[in-house]
Amino acid sequence: MPAPEADRTAPSGPATADRVRLVLRSLGPLCDPDGFVPFDRFMEVALYAEGLGYYAGDRSPTGPGGDFYTAPQVHPLFGATLGDRARAVHRALGERRPLRLVELGPGDGSLAAGLFAAFREAGGAPDGTEYLLIERAPSLGRATLERLGEAADSAGVRVRLGTSVGGDGPFEGIVIANELLDAQPCRRLRWTGREWTELGVEIDGAHLRPAERPLTSPVPPPALPSGPEPGTIVELSPVAEAIVREIADHLVGGVAIVVDYGAEEEEIVRGHPRGTLAAVRGHRPVDDPLEAPGATDLSAFVNFSRVRSAARRAGLVELAYSSQAEALGRWGFPARFEAAVRRTRSSEEEVRLRLAAKNLLFGFEGFRALELAARASAPALRGLT
Ligand SMILES: C[S@@+](CC[C@H](N)C(=O)[O-])C[C@H]1O[C@@H](n2cnc3c(N)ncnc32)[C@H](O)[C@@H]1O
């Protein structure tokens, strides 16, 4: 979710017209005979296609010089607080195994950096602590691993890149995903008053333009809302739901912590009947999401009704679902913040810290935290919330 910041210059990489040409070439094979591409396939290419996608470079497009800020980039206290939560979960599970943290979509590694710094300040991580970075953009993953090496060493953490959440087989640990699900390709469906239709993109010569067709595939349960106002658009991400199922398939003990912007489907439909797709470039909203694919961030509210339902169906147990601010409160943010205030050396430093804390608690309005336990760990972890 974009947090306003300084303006940015023109998008880097190929110029807009070249990008559109590259997208057209990538989408070509995905088109049906009349040139229609469902929105999720377009978004997949625009965000992740090699050599073109918004996230496919070796530099994170978030943070300073990027298009928007995420919570870990606002202040290391965010990562530190997640580290506290991970330690609390590990203790509650009896510290039977070394602490294993798996971060999905680490981007520039800000969350891990905050967490490592907190471990170092506390005298080092528990023996054998391992931190696995699962980053879809390979060159960004490598750059992040390199950047984090020293901080991990000084915290006593072994950090490495992984290929997928289940790449090493079943495990007990803590999975963290901050702003991962909103960046997954989403289907956009519109209620005409009689039926649901699929929104997408049509290739018209050298141009892309919005298009609408009958549903290209059935929508798996849960059912879409019944009888909304004609024109209502609902977004859902089969990929986001599959990520949750993949976590459930491999997490035999511990928790998954998902922090993202979004809401329950009913709330989204009521508040955003025309959908929630957001296109952002240079810290500014962009009117046309098709304008500069690959140079524009595309994201949509996480449909938490569907994500929570996917988690339940896959066997995960919901420990908590709350606003980001409430979750930070539960995970020990106030104590971390007070300690950080005591360590400030000037009033300017203190003001900066207070502003960052205010931003983390109140600037990320609409952000939710979902904690999902592996079934076997749920009894031991319930007391934590
Ligand atoms: C919005 S950024 C968030 C980065 C970071 N979590 C943060 O909060 O600053 C989303 C990141 O998730 C990565 N990503 C997207 N889908 C992924 C997947 N299926 N597995 C791993 N990483 C993924 C993207 O490449 C990008 O780095």
Side-chain angles (χ1 to χ4, degrees):
M1 179 66 143
E5 251 302 313
D7 197 1
R8 197 170 83 114
T9 49
S12 56
T16 300
D18 292 333
R19 284 179 175 275
V20 175
R21 249 175 257 129
L22 282 167
V23 168
L24 291 172
R25 216 176 299 141
S26 307
L27 289 175
L30 300 173
C31 289
D32 71 6
D34 73 350
F36 176 76
V37 179
F39 194 81
D40 56 341
R41 293 202 206 151
F42 163 73
M43 192 164 163
E44 167 79 27
V45 169
L47 293 184
Y48 300 111
E50 209 184 318
L52 149 72
Y54 181 76
Y55 285 110
D58 54 5
R59 232 184 99 252
S60 171
T62 66
D67 291 319
F68 60 96
Y69 273 86
T70 63
Q73 291 162 340
V74 166
H75 202 279
L77 278 179
F78 186 83
T81 305
L82 274 154
D84 289 343
R85 184 59 172 177
R87 292 292 306 269
V89 167
H90 191 225
R91 275 194 294 271
L93 294 178
E95 300 180 323
R96 290 179 307 239
R97 295 187 182 84
L99 175 58
R100 185 171 200 200
L101 292 135
V102 178
E103 188 180 354
L104 301 181
D108 73 354
S110 294
L111 192 153
L115 189 147
F116 295 164
F119 279 179
R120 192 187 53 237
E121 279 163 29
D127 280 352
T129 297
E130 188 177 56
Y131 201 100
L132 206 58
L133 303 164
I134 314 280
E135 172 52 58
R136 179 168 182 181
S139 49
L140 175 59
R142 285 191 294 273
T144 296
L145 177 68
E146 203 181 311
R147 192 170 324 113
L148 286 171
E150 222 178 284
D153 284 349
S154 62
V157 176
R158 179 173 172 243
V159 62
R160 65 185 172 92
L161 284 179
T163 48
S164 69
V165 74
D168 292 350
F171 66 98
E172 178 177 296
I174 291 100
V175 177
I176 300 174
N178 187 66
E179 289 214 43
L180 171 83
L181 299 188
D182 71 65
Q184 300 310 316
C186 65
R187 286 180 78 179
R188 309 192 73 222
L189 311 179
R190 195 175 79 89
W191 178 247
T192 63
R194 272 181 305 118
E195 59 178 355
W196 286 98
T197 57
E198 187 99 34
L199 300 184
V201 171
E202 198 170 52
I203 299 184
D204 171 20
H207 301 282
L208 293 167
R209 61 162 186 241
E212 185 167 2
R213 294 286 186 283
L215 287 187
T216 51
S217 60
V219 177
L224 290 166
S226 62
E229 283 295 305
T232 296
I233 294 172
V234 169
E235 280 118 3
L236 54 101
S237 172
V239 183
E241 293 167 38
I243 288 175
V244 170
R245 284 194 294 273
E246 195 193 355
I247 294 172
D249 285 348
H250 295 92
L251 191 71
V252 290
V255 295
I257 301 175
V258 174
V259 182
D260 224 312
Y261 81 101
E264 288 290 284
E265 188 172 82
E266 199 191 318
E267 214 179 322
I268 300 177
V269 166
R270 216 178 325 114
H272 305 270
R274 295 294 174 266
T276 65
L277 178 71
V280 171
R281 193 164 67 246
H283 297 273
R284 297 233 164 83
V286 173
D287 286 339
D288 179 4
L290 309 184
E291 182 191 282
T296 304
D297 179 45
L298 299 175
S299 66
F301 274 38
V302 173
N303 185 326
F304 272 108
S305 302
R306 295 191 66 91
V307 165
R308 293 168 77 193
S309 162
R312 264 195 310 275
R313 285 162 189 259
L316 292 170
V317 177
E318 192 169 301
L319 290 180
Y321 172 62
S322 69
S323 68
Q324 173 173 307
E326 267 178 70
L328 286 174
R330 275 200 317 276
W331 299 338
F333 182 83
R336 279 248 157 239
F337 169 67
E338 292 303 335
V341 169
R342 283 195 295 276
R343 284 199 304 272
T344 54
R345 281 158 306 184
S346 67
S347 46
E348 188 191 329
E349 203 184 318
E350 182 179 337
V351 169
R352 281 183 194 283
L353 174 64
R354 288 189 183 280
L355 285 176
K358 186 174 165 210
N359 191 359
L360 285 177
L361 293 174
F362 307 111
F364 286 75
E365 207 188 339
F367 273 66
R368 309 284 159 104
L370 175 62
E371 282 187 278
L372 302 162
R375 186 164 293 285
S377 303
L381 297 178
R382 278 197 202 286
L384 272 183
T385 55

